[in-house]
Amino acid sequence: MAATTTEVPPGTRQAADTADSTDNAPLTFAKALNTALADEMAADSTVVMFGEDVGPLGGVFRITDSLTARFGAERCFDTPLAESGIVGMAVGMAMNGLRPVVEMQFDAFAYPAFEQIVSHVAKMPNRTKARIKLPMVIRIPYAGGIGGVEHHCDSSESYYAHTPGLTVVAPATVADAYSLLREAIRLDDPVIFLEPKKLYWTKERVDLAGLRRAADDAAQTGRSAAGGIGTAAVARPGTDATLIAYGPSVSTALAAAAAAEVEGRSLEVIDLRSIVPYDDATVDASVRRTGRAVVIAEAPGFASVASEIAARVSERCFHSLAAPVRRVTGFDVPYPAPKLEHWFLPGVDRILDAVDELQWDEPGDGADVLAGDSLAGGTAAVDTGSEGHL
Amino acid sequence: MTISTPRHTGFPPSPGFAADTGLLPSPVPVRLIDADGAEHSDERYPLPSGDSLLDAYARLVAGRRVNDQANALVRQGRLAVYPSSHGQEACQVAAAAVLQARDWLFPTYRDSVAVMSRGVDPLQVLTLLRGDWHSGYDPYEHRVAPQATPLATQLLHAVGVAHAAKLKGEDTVVLALCGDGATSEGDFHEALNFAAVFHVPVVFFVQNNEYAISVPLRSQTVAPSLAHKAVGYGMPGERVDGNDVAALLAVLGAAVRRAREGGGPSLVEAHTYRMQPHTNADDATRYRTADEVQRWEPLDPLLRIRTFLRSSGLLDDAAEAGLAADAETVATAMRDGLNADVEPEPMALFEHVYSRRTPQLAEQAELLRSELERDAAAVEPDTRDTGATR
């Protein structure tokens, strides 16, 4: 591309510039995303970044900070204020050999682009029998907990997860913010990349050099890095119950697990990392071991990703379950005003209350909870190792 | 309504294209051959060469035959539906004729003849309407995007392809088709605005055929003309007689040249008429009179250029017979191809959703595979009718 500060022939890859990396330095979630964008843009000259205010301003959350200065206004540029236009143009650019990364300024601002996302981004590869691939990433600052005004804090993951053809990623750690974004940009499929806004300013010490090497190695081999998109992580091991969370809810689940430990309960926390593909194997293995599961998500629970997970766990791990799978989610109300969001968001106490209701009594003791249509009582916490065999 | 043509001296000049009126379209549609087949001179647009007009006439004859054959195939149940471009064939063939091999065409569902005129096998074009798959051709082979069904969404993809071409330094022009109804959509606005702001080589070509299914143009817009909409985006607009293939070749050709030479996007509105219903599912007598349709019959795009070519000595009986035979060959191939029963492969449902099949899709593919095996076993001879036990 002409007139950029990095003159690299289109389609070539270079190892990430590690000159500015400081190993094991504390890094914010936002800076990790920014570094991932910069590293992938440096490595692959076909990666272009655009959206509203992503140029000289660096995005309202500064995720694209310095990219225009470093890569030129042709590689990172501001667009007119039009979300459908941004996504629709990205479709055409991906059709013509580029890897666009676009920013939807806030979750609820992405809805004008919804038709482009569900009717075209998700379907174009399938309708053309994969002759057209759409290697594009739609980055969405996402979910609540920051006291945002109306339309700035929606949890929109269910819309995207319900749409076949979309890969839906929601990192919860600084390391994942870096690694999953780099992998998302390299993926040949379109990715909805959900960035939990409340995590932008969290800081962790990460081995950035190691993460960079892993990302470069994965790019060289064309394979996913170990534990990449489609692989859930055990964020905290435990034995008594499994908390299943993703994105902004992982930290809440971890806080709940820490509180439960004080009460003598060992809770395992699974961080899904990607919602689509969904890692049944890691979730199932955990639930079969612990026999109890609570799904935690900020989004309203009705017809949600949390509902899907609860249903899957119930179907697949039924004979290992000591209690019905519980969901702790946002209420089925529009995202509330800042002074009310505290009551809306699933908090530690609400999670612990749900855990308390997972039929901890010995079989036979809890006649009340075994009444009705729960069939779980007699097989509490027994992992037979093969579903369907009692 | 009287259309004034003030000079917008504050705007940059647009050489070779509507230069005498600034950005505003000509007050009446550009016409180079009158309804009676006589040459109608226009100082800005010279009459295309005899060869190119003969070539266009050949495409028109084939296109009309394709429209008639496809309608017949709908009546025979071989096509689920066919949105005919009968009466609009001049727009269709001109859209394809003005492009070079490296250029892109972005068609709608009504533009099958334009796609065929670009060289795509008619059977592959009709896959969408036959019901085998959503797009039956390779978009890259002839640089024709999949036919778009939602209105105006493809205009943004066209802008993206053009933008990528510009960034990569490719000498490519993109011609994007839409109808009059599509100009009311948000994506029409966003596409024109993006194209103008990024100054990319796109020609937006509106086929104004007076109706969006049943809604007449007067209920769609009160703009002086659809071409006038271009002015608001800072690009030139032009109106052309959509049943005059010579004028279409001249005006679209000038717009493509302008785009290729770095002049940026433009909007061309063709005034034509949809002689047949929206599709076979439509009852056009509910919203327009027979008188109105009959008024357009003498303006038929084939008649006009045929009269001109015959009177100019460029076309004789022998040549006409040859063209008719060629068109019949196309129609026969279409008929034979569509009369052959083709059963799509059910397992293809899962093939192209993601580059890497998700675990969930792998499970579902396995389910369908087992159902297919069971069905295959169930239709083995005599096992059902005789009630024979196995």
Side-chain angles (χ1 to χ4, degrees):
Chain A
M1 290 175 209
T4 58
T5 52
T6 51
E7 291 295 340
V8 184
T12 58
R13 291 195 64 89
Q14 297 181 336
D17 173 15
T18 54
D20 62 344
S21 72
T22 45
D23 296 357
N24 299 311
L27 195 66
T28 64
F29 196 94
K31 183 63 180 169
L33 293 166
N34 174 257
T35 307
L37 286 168
D39 286 356
E40 205 52 36
M41 288 177 79
D44 183 347
S45 63
T46 65
V47 177
V48 290
M49 173 78 227
F50 54 94
E52 295 153 8
D53 305 301
V54 301
L57 179 66
V60 292
F61 293 105
R62 307 293 183 266
I63 308 303
T64 56
D65 186 36
S66 304
L67 296 180
T68 302
R70 180 168 168 196
F71 297 103
E74 293 190 332
R75 297 278 307 277
C76 180
F77 56 90
D78 290 325
T79 66
L81 207 162
E83 289 78 11
S84 189
I86 292 166
V87 173
M89 186 169 75
V91 168
M93 294 175 88
M95 282 175 68
N96 199 4
L98 300 184
R99 288 184 178 268
V101 181
V102 301
E103 179 175 298
M104 299 281 101
Q105 201 155 62
F106 283 90
D107 30 46
F109 295 179
Y111 299 142
F114 199 62
E115 187 196 8
Q116 284 289 347
I117 294 172
V118 300
S119 294
H120 298 290
V121 174
K123 292 177 176 171
M124 188 73 87
N126 189 64
R127 68 201 283 227
T128 60
K129 295 193 171 176
R131 272 300 286 138
I132 292 178
K133 296 198 175 217
L134 294 183
M136 55 185 282
V137 178
I138 301 173
R139 293 183 33 242
I140 307 180
Y142 148 85
I146 62 161
V149 295
E150 194 181 15
H151 302 303
H152 288 67
C153 285
D154 268 18
S155 290
S156 45
E157 66 269 30
S158 296
Y159 304 128
Y160 305 117
H162 188 67
T163 304
L166 299 177
T167 295
V168 184
V169 178
T173 70
V174 172
D176 276 356
Y178 177 84
S179 299
L180 295 181
L181 181 53
R182 285 201 65 184
E183 184 181 349
I185 297 170
R186 290 197 312 274
L187 206 62
D188 280 341
D189 298 324
V191 179
I192 304 292
F193 197 86
L194 302 171
E195 301 169 2
K197 288 190 287 282
K198 77 171 190 185
L199 299 182
Y200 274 146
W201 304 282
T202 62
K203 208 174 244 193
E204 288 173 32
R205 200 171 283 278
V206 297
D207 174 15
L208 183 59
L211 293 173
R212 278 181 159 147
R213 272 195 306 277
D216 288 337
D217 290 349
Q220 291 296 327
T221 60
R223 280 199 293 273
S224 172
I229 290 171
T231 313
V234 178
R236 176 192 174 103
T239 55
D240 297 341
T242 301
L243 306 182
I244 305 159
Y246 54 86
S249 296
V250 173
S251 55
T252 317
L254 286 169
E261 189 176 33
V262 177
E263 299 171 2
R265 236 168 225 162
S266 167
L267 303 183
E268 182 149 300
V269 177
I270 301 290
D271 171 6
L272 290 182
R273 304 170 78 247
S274 71
I275 298 168
V276 182
Y278 174 73
D279 184 356
D280 279 308
T282 299
V283 173
D284 291 0
S286 174
V287 174
R288 284 175 187 151
R289 225 165 4 82
T290 64
R292 292 176 170 84
V294 178
V295 189
I296 300 143
E298 287 189 11
F302 190 82
S304 65
V305 169
S307 303
E308 172 62 22
I309 295 168
R312 296 188 75 80
V313 170
S314 299
E315 284 179 349
R316 298 166 64 89
C317 308
F318 180 73
H319 295 294
S320 302
L321 286 170
V325 179
R326 294 293 306 254
R327 285 171 291 162
V328 181
T329 68
F331 298 127
D332 296 328
V333 301
Y335 198 89
K339 289 185 177 173
L340 287 165
E341 74 175 350
H342 160 70
W343 300 104
F344 167 85
L345 293 171
V348 169
D349 287 346
R350 202 171 285 158
I351 295 169
L352 292 175
D353 287 347
V355 170
D356 284 345
E357 290 169 19
L358 292 176
Q359 302 187 8
W360 296 96
D361 296 337
E362 289 302 310
D365 291 351
D368 54 334
V369 290
L370 292 177
D373 59 4
S374 168
L375 302 174
T379 59
V382 176
D383 184 7
T384 63
S386 66
E387 292 303 311
H389 168 70
L390 281 174
Chain B
M1 182 179 292
T2 310
I3 299 159
S4 61
T5 55
R7 285 186 177 275
H8 284 235
T9 51
F11 290 118
S14 44
F17 191 90
D20 60 336
T21 56
L23 299 176
L24 279 173
S26 51
V28 294
V30 174
R31 173 180 285 184
L32 296 182
I33 296 177
D34 280 328
D36 59 6
E39 183 173 350
H40 182 109
S41 68
D42 185 309
E43 59 184 15
R44 295 170 304 151
Y45 296 102
L47 190 71
S49 72
D51 281 352
S52 62
L53 293 177
L54 260 182
D55 173 66
Y57 181 65
R59 293 170 186 247
L60 282 172
V61 171
R64 174 63 52 84
R65 188 68 188 89
V66 160
N67 274 327
D68 291 348
Q69 182 63 70
N71 279 327
L73 287 162
V74 170
R75 289 193 294 274
Q76 294 160 17
R78 289 293 175 181
L79 283 176
V81 70
Y82 184 73
S84 179
S85 60
H86 188 115
Q88 301 178 220
E89 289 96 339
C91 299
Q92 300 277 300
V93 306
V98 295
L99 297 179
Q100 300 185 9
R102 62 184 182 280
D103 298 331
W104 274 89
L105 179 79
F106 275 73
T108 75
Y109 55 84
R110 198 180 297 287
D111 300 320
S112 296
V113 169
V115 177
M116 294 174 197
S117 193
R118 183 100 173 120
V120 182
D121 180 346
L123 271 182
Q124 293 179 345
V125 178
L126 294 171
T127 300
L128 167 75
L129 305 164
R130 181 192 203 177
D132 298 349
W133 201 262
H134 291 313
S135 180
Y137 53 87
D138 177 348
Y140 294 103
E141 188 181 346
H142 296 279
R143 294 207 166 194
V144 179
Q147 287 179 271
T149 316
L151 300 188
T153 52
Q154 81 281 4
L155 303 180
L156 281 162
H157 307 165
V159 172
V161 165
H163 197 172
K166 185 182 171 189
L167 291 179
K168 295 197 295 182
E170 294 171 357
D171 177 22
T172 301
V173 176
V174 183
L175 189 148
L177 293 154
C178 71
D180 41 299
T183 65
S184 299
E185 294 275 8
D187 275 6
F188 174 85
H189 163 80
E190 298 189 20
L192 267 68
N193 194 44
F194 272 53
V197 167
F198 294 119
H199 200 71
V200 295
V202 181
V203 176
F204 298 100
F205 181 29
V206 182
Q207 290 174 75
N208 170 10
N209 66 13
E210 298 290 335
Y211 288 93
I213 303 188
S214 69
V215 178
L217 187 69
R218 66 177 177 278
S219 303
Q220 199 70 244
T221 179
V222 293
S225 81
L226 296 176
H228 276 75
K229 291 178 183 257
V231 180
Y233 305 105
M235 71 173 77
E238 190 63 288
R239 308 169 70 183
V240 58
D241 183 334
N243 289 13
D244 176 358
V245 75
L248 284 158
L249 289 171
V251 171
L252 288 173
V256 167
R257 269 196 306 281
R258 181 178 184 278
R260 202 183 310 283
E261 289 163 5
S266 57
L267 172 66
V268 175
E269 175 192 11
H271 293 263
T272 184
Y273 193 76
R274 192 189 74 212
M275 296 300 289
Q276 295 177 341
H278 168 65
T279 68
N280 57 305
D282 173 29
D283 177 6
T285 64
R286 283 173 173 252
Y287 55 84
R288 64 187 189 186
T289 64
D291 282 355
E292 179 184 309
V293 181
Q294 280 166 13
R295 280 200 299 277
W296 281 86
E297 278 173 1
L299 301 172
D300 187 296
L302 276 77
L303 286 178
R304 193 187 300 189
I305 186 67
R306 177 174 179 272
T307 304
F308 174 82
L309 291 171
R310 298 280 305 202
S311 62
S312 313
L314 293 164
L315 187 68
D316 58 18
D317 289 344
E320 286 234 61
L323 295 181
D326 290 348
E328 200 54 39
T329 304
V330 174
T332 302
M334 264 177 69
R335 209 165 46 239
D336 290 350
L338 288 168
N339 280 333
D341 284 313
V342 176
E343 280 303 315
E345 167 54 49
M347 295 305 291
L349 282 173
F350 303 100
E351 291 297 321
H352 312 292
V353 186
Y354 295 99
S355 306
R356 296 181 295 194
R357 191 174 289 181
T358 65
Q360 293 73 38
L361 277 186
E363 284 180 8
Q364 291 163 27
E366 185 55 29
L367 171 66
L368 180 59
R369 195 190 59 73
S370 67
E371 288 176 358
L372 291 170
E373 282 179 3
R374 190 182 62 199
D375 289 354
V379 296
E380 279 170 11
D382 298 330
T383 53
R384 274 200 175 156
D385 292 346
T386 64
T389 53
R390 304 188 192 202

